[in-house]
PDB file of all heavy atoms in Angstrom:
ATOM      1  N   ILE A 327      13.912   1.965   6.671  1.00 97.00           N
ATOM      2  CA  ILE A 327      13.241   2.043   7.974  1.00 97.00           C
ATOM      3  C   ILE A 327      12.323   3.263   7.988  1.00 97.00           C
ATOM      4  O   ILE A 327      12.798   4.396   7.889  1.00 97.00           O
ATOM      5  CB  ILE A 327      14.272   2.134   9.124  1.00 97.00           C
ATOM      6  CG1 ILE A 327      15.164   0.885   9.161  1.00 97.00           C
ATOM      7  CG2 ILE A 327      13.544   2.329  10.457  1.00 97.00           C
ATOM      8  CD1 ILE A 327      16.254   0.930  10.229  1.00 97.00           C
ATOM      9  N   GLU A 328      11.041   3.023   8.079  1.00 96.00           N
ATOM     10  CA  GLU A 328      10.094   4.129   8.248  1.00 96.00           C
ATOM     11  C   GLU A 328      10.145   4.575   9.692  1.00 96.00           C
ATOM     12  O   GLU A 328      10.225   3.750  10.593  1.00 96.00           O
ATOM     13  CB  GLU A 328       8.653   3.660   7.953  1.00 96.00           C
ATOM     14  CG  GLU A 328       8.200   3.865   6.538  1.00 96.00           C
ATOM     15  CD  GLU A 328       6.753   3.419   6.324  1.00 96.00           C
ATOM     16  OE1 GLU A 328       5.898   3.692   7.196  1.00 96.00           O
ATOM     17  OE2 GLU A 328       6.495   2.792   5.277  1.00 96.00           O
ATOM     18  N   GLY A 329      10.054   5.852   9.891  1.00 97.00           N
ATOM     19  CA  GLY A 329      10.016   6.374  11.245  1.00 97.00           C
ATOM     20  C   GLY A 329      11.392   6.715  11.796  1.00 97.00           C
ATOM     21  O   GLY A 329      11.526   7.327  12.841  1.00 97.00           O
ATOM     22  N   ALA A 330      12.429   6.289  11.073  1.00 96.00           N
ATOM     23  CA  ALA A 330      13.786   6.619  11.506  1.00 96.00           C
ATOM     24  C   ALA A 330      14.056   8.090  11.187  1.00 96.00           C
ATOM     25  O   ALA A 330      13.477   8.638  10.261  1.00 96.00           O
ATOM     26  CB  ALA A 330      14.792   5.748  10.776  1.00 96.00           C
ATOM     27  N   PHE A 331      14.928   8.689  11.952  1.00 95.00           N
ATOM     28  CA  PHE A 331      15.351  10.049  11.638  1.00 95.00           C
ATOM     29  C   PHE A 331      16.380   9.945  10.523  1.00 95.00           C
ATOM     30  O   PHE A 331      17.477   9.444  10.741  1.00 95.00           O
ATOM     31  CB  PHE A 331      15.930  10.716  12.886  1.00 95.00           C
ATOM     32  CG  PHE A 331      16.666  11.976  12.595  1.00 95.00           C
ATOM     33  CD1 PHE A 331      16.037  13.030  11.941  1.00 95.00           C
ATOM     34  CD2 PHE A 331      18.002  12.117  12.967  1.00 95.00           C
ATOM     35  CE1 PHE A 331      16.727  14.186  11.661  1.00 95.00           C
ATOM     36  CE2 PHE A 331      18.692  13.277  12.693  1.00 95.00           C
ATOM     37  CZ  PHE A 331      18.057  14.312  12.035  1.00 95.00           C
ATOM     38  N   ASP A 332      16.011  10.378   9.309  1.00 93.00           N
ATOM     39  CA  ASP A 332      16.941  10.162   8.193  1.00 93.00           C
ATOM     40  C   ASP A 332      17.293  11.453   7.474  1.00 93.00           C
ATOM     41  O   ASP A 332      17.818  11.434   6.376  1.00 93.00           O
ATOM     42  CB  ASP A 332      16.369   9.127   7.208  1.00 93.00           C
ATOM     43  CG  ASP A 332      15.128   9.625   6.507  1.00 93.00           C
ATOM     44  OD1 ASP A 332      14.584  10.680   6.914  1.00 93.00           O
ATOM     45  OD2 ASP A 332      14.704   8.982   5.535  1.00 93.00           O
ATOM     46  N   GLU A 333      16.998  12.583   8.100  1.00 94.00           N
ATOM     47  CA  GLU A 333      17.365  13.849   7.467  1.00 94.00           C
ATOM     48  C   GLU A 333      18.751  14.299   7.955  1.00 94.00           C
ATOM     49  O   GLU A 333      19.247  13.786   8.939  1.00 94.00           O
ATOM     50  CB  GLU A 333      16.330  14.932   7.799  1.00 94.00           C
ATOM     51  CG  GLU A 333      15.002  14.758   7.092  1.00 94.00           C
ATOM     52  CD  GLU A 333      13.978  14.020   7.952  1.00 94.00           C
ATOM     53  OE1 GLU A 333      13.707  14.491   9.076  1.00 94.00           O
ATOM     54  OE2 GLU A 333      13.482  12.969   7.506  1.00 94.00           O
ATOM     55  N   PRO A 334      19.338  15.273   7.240  1.00 95.00           N
ATOM     56  CA  PRO A 334      20.603  15.811   7.756  1.00 95.00           C
ATOM     57  C   PRO A 334      20.359  16.526   9.090  1.00 95.00           C
ATOM     58  O   PRO A 334      19.220  16.864   9.413  1.00 95.00           O
ATOM     59  CB  PRO A 334      21.041  16.820   6.678  1.00 95.00           C
ATOM     60  CG  PRO A 334      20.030  16.791   5.600  1.00 95.00           C
ATOM     61  CD  PRO A 334      18.897  15.931   6.003  1.00 95.00           C
ATOM     62  N   GLY A 335      21.414  16.775   9.824  1.00 96.00           N
ATOM     63  CA  GLY A 335      21.259  17.502  11.085  1.00 96.00           C
ATOM     64  C   GLY A 335      21.410  16.576  12.272  1.00 96.00           C
ATOM     65  O   GLY A 335      21.645  15.378  12.110  1.00 96.00           O
ATOM     66  N   THR A 336      21.262  17.123  13.452  1.00 96.00           N
ATOM     67  CA  THR A 336      21.574  16.378  14.672  1.00 96.00           C
ATOM     68  C   THR A 336      20.403  16.365  15.641  1.00 96.00           C
ATOM     69  O   THR A 336      20.542  16.681  16.831  1.00 96.00           O
ATOM     70  CB  THR A 336      22.811  16.987  15.356  1.00 96.00           C
ATOM     71  OG1 THR A 336      22.584  18.403  15.491  1.00 96.00           O
ATOM     72  CG2 THR A 336      24.078  16.757  14.550  1.00 96.00           C
ATOM     73  N   LYS A 337      19.238  16.018  15.135  1.00 96.00           N
ATOM     74  CA  LYS A 337      18.059  15.909  15.994  1.00 96.00           C
ATOM     75  C   LYS A 337      18.306  14.827  17.043  1.00 96.00           C
ATOM     76  O   LYS A 337      18.826  13.759  16.740  1.00 96.00           O
ATOM     77  CB  LYS A 337      16.865  15.538  15.105  1.00 96.00           C
ATOM     78  CG  LYS A 337      15.519  15.826  15.708  1.00 96.00           C
ATOM     79  CD  LYS A 337      14.419  15.893  14.652  1.00 96.00           C
ATOM     80  CE  LYS A 337      13.759  14.561  14.401  1.00 96.00           C
ATOM     81  NZ  LYS A 337      12.473  14.696  13.661  1.00 96.00           N
ATOM     82  N   THR A 338      17.922  15.078  18.270  1.00 96.00           N
ATOM     83  CA  THR A 338      18.235  14.145  19.367  1.00 96.00           C
ATOM     84  C   THR A 338      17.013  13.319  19.769  1.00 96.00           C
ATOM     85  O   THR A 338      16.730  13.117  20.950  1.00 96.00           O
ATOM     86  CB  THR A 338      18.766  14.907  20.585  1.00 96.00           C
ATOM     87  OG1 THR A 338      17.831  15.938  20.918  1.00 96.00           O
ATOM     88  CG2 THR A 338      20.123  15.516  20.311  1.00 96.00           C
ATOM     89  N   VAL A 339      16.333  12.808  18.767  1.00 96.00           N
ATOM     90  CA  VAL A 339      15.079  12.123  19.016  1.00 96.00           C
ATOM     91  C   VAL A 339      15.292  10.631  19.277  1.00 96.00           C
ATOM     92  O   VAL A 339      16.295  10.041  18.854  1.00 96.00           O
ATOM     93  CB  VAL A 339      14.164  12.340  17.782  1.00 96.00           C
ATOM     94  CG1 VAL A 339      14.652  11.514  16.614  1.00 96.00           C
ATOM     95  CG2 VAL A 339      12.714  12.061  18.089  1.00 96.00           C
ATOM     96  N   ILE A 340      14.359  10.017  19.985  1.00 98.00           N
ATOM     97  CA  ILE A 340      14.253   8.548  20.028  1.00 98.00           C
ATOM     98  C   ILE A 340      12.936   8.200  19.342  1.00 98.00           C
ATOM     99  O   ILE A 340      11.867   8.484  19.891  1.00 98.00           O
ATOM    100  CB  ILE A 340      14.215   8.003  21.474  1.00 98.00           C
ATOM    101  CG1 ILE A 340      15.464   8.417  22.260  1.00 98.00           C
ATOM    102  CG2 ILE A 340      14.051   6.492  21.466  1.00 98.00           C
ATOM    103  CD1 ILE A 340      15.356   8.116  23.764  1.00 98.00           C
ATOM    104  N   PRO A 341      13.001   7.635  18.149  1.00 98.00           N
ATOM    105  CA  PRO A 341      11.737   7.292  17.489  1.00 98.00           C
ATOM    106  C   PRO A 341      10.936   6.309  18.344  1.00 98.00           C
ATOM    107  O   PRO A 341      11.494   5.355  18.881  1.00 98.00           O
ATOM    108  CB  PRO A 341      12.178   6.648  16.168  1.00 98.00           C
ATOM    109  CG  PRO A 341      13.571   7.130  15.944  1.00 98.00           C
ATOM    110  CD  PRO A 341      14.169   7.281  17.313  1.00 98.00           C
ATOM    111  N   GLY A 342       9.644   6.557  18.454  1.00 98.00           N
ATOM    112  CA  GLY A 342       8.790   5.717  19.303  1.00 98.00           C
ATOM    113  C   GLY A 342       8.298   4.469  18.587  1.00 98.00           C
ATOM    114  O   GLY A 342       7.926   3.471  19.213  1.00 98.00           O
ATOM    115  N   ARG A 343       8.279   4.541  17.273  1.00 98.00           N
ATOM    116  CA  ARG A 343       7.765   3.413  16.473  1.00 98.00           C
ATOM    117  C   ARG A 343       8.544   3.377  15.167  1.00 98.00           C
ATOM    118  O   ARG A 343       8.650   4.406  14.491  1.00 98.00           O
ATOM    119  CB  ARG A 343       6.293   3.656  16.149  1.00 98.00           C
ATOM    120  CG  ARG A 343       5.585   2.509  15.457  1.00 98.00           C
ATOM    121  CD  ARG A 343       4.248   2.959  14.867  1.00 98.00           C
ATOM    122  NE  ARG A 343       4.468   3.670  13.603  1.00 98.00           N
ATOM    123  CZ  ARG A 343       4.430   3.085  12.408  1.00 98.00           C
ATOM    124  NH1 ARG A 343       4.155   1.810  12.304  1.00 98.00           N
ATOM    125  NH2 ARG A 343       4.668   3.782  11.310  1.00 98.00           N
ATOM    126  N   VAL A 344       9.105   2.253  14.841  1.00 98.00           N
ATOM    127  CA  VAL A 344       9.863   2.143  13.585  1.00 98.00           C
ATOM    128  C   VAL A 344       9.448   0.895  12.821  1.00 98.00           C
ATOM    129  O   VAL A 344       9.031  -0.108  13.418  1.00 98.00           O
ATOM    130  CB  VAL A 344      11.395   2.116  13.830  1.00 98.00           C
ATOM    131  CG1 VAL A 344      11.927   3.502  14.104  1.00 98.00           C
ATOM    132  CG2 VAL A 344      11.762   1.151  14.941  1.00 98.00           C
ATOM    133  N   LEU A 345       9.542   1.012  11.505  1.00 98.00           N
ATOM    134  CA  LEU A 345       9.104  -0.091  10.643  1.00 98.00           C
ATOM    135  C   LEU A 345      10.220  -0.416   9.657  1.00 98.00           C
ATOM    136  O   LEU A 345      10.544   0.385   8.781  1.00 98.00           O
ATOM    137  CB  LEU A 345       7.843   0.342   9.882  1.00 98.00           C
ATOM    138  CG  LEU A 345       7.233  -0.687   8.945  1.00 98.00           C
ATOM    139  CD1 LEU A 345       6.306  -1.608   9.723  1.00 98.00           C
ATOM    140  CD2 LEU A 345       6.456   0.006   7.829  1.00 98.00           C
ATOM    141  N   GLY A 346      10.818  -1.582   9.848  1.00 98.00           N
ATOM    142  CA  GLY A 346      11.902  -2.006   8.959  1.00 98.00           C
ATOM    143  C   GLY A 346      11.346  -2.761   7.768  1.00 98.00           C
ATOM    144  O   GLY A 346      10.298  -3.405   7.857  1.00 98.00           O
ATOM    145  N   LYS A 347      12.044  -2.666   6.636  1.00 97.00           N
ATOM    146  CA  LYS A 347      11.606  -3.343   5.415  1.00 97.00           C
ATOM    147  C   LYS A 347      12.752  -4.157   4.819  1.00 97.00           C
ATOM    148  O   LYS A 347      13.850  -3.639   4.641  1.00 97.00           O
ATOM    149  CB  LYS A 347      11.140  -2.320   4.373  1.00 97.00           C
ATOM    150  CG  LYS A 347       9.987  -1.483   4.870  1.00 97.00           C
ATOM    151  CD  LYS A 347       9.569  -0.443   3.875  1.00 97.00           C
ATOM    152  CE  LYS A 347       8.524   0.464   4.504  1.00 97.00           C
ATOM    153  NZ  LYS A 347       7.999   1.419   3.532  1.00 97.00           N
TER     154      LYS A 347
END
Side-chain angles (χ1 to χ4, degrees):
I327 298 177
E328 267 182 42
F331 167 57
D332 66 349
E333 288 95 56
T336 51
K337 199 161 91 165
T338 53
V339 73
I340 302 170
R343 186 194 79 94
V344 282
L345 181 85
K347 300 178 187 185

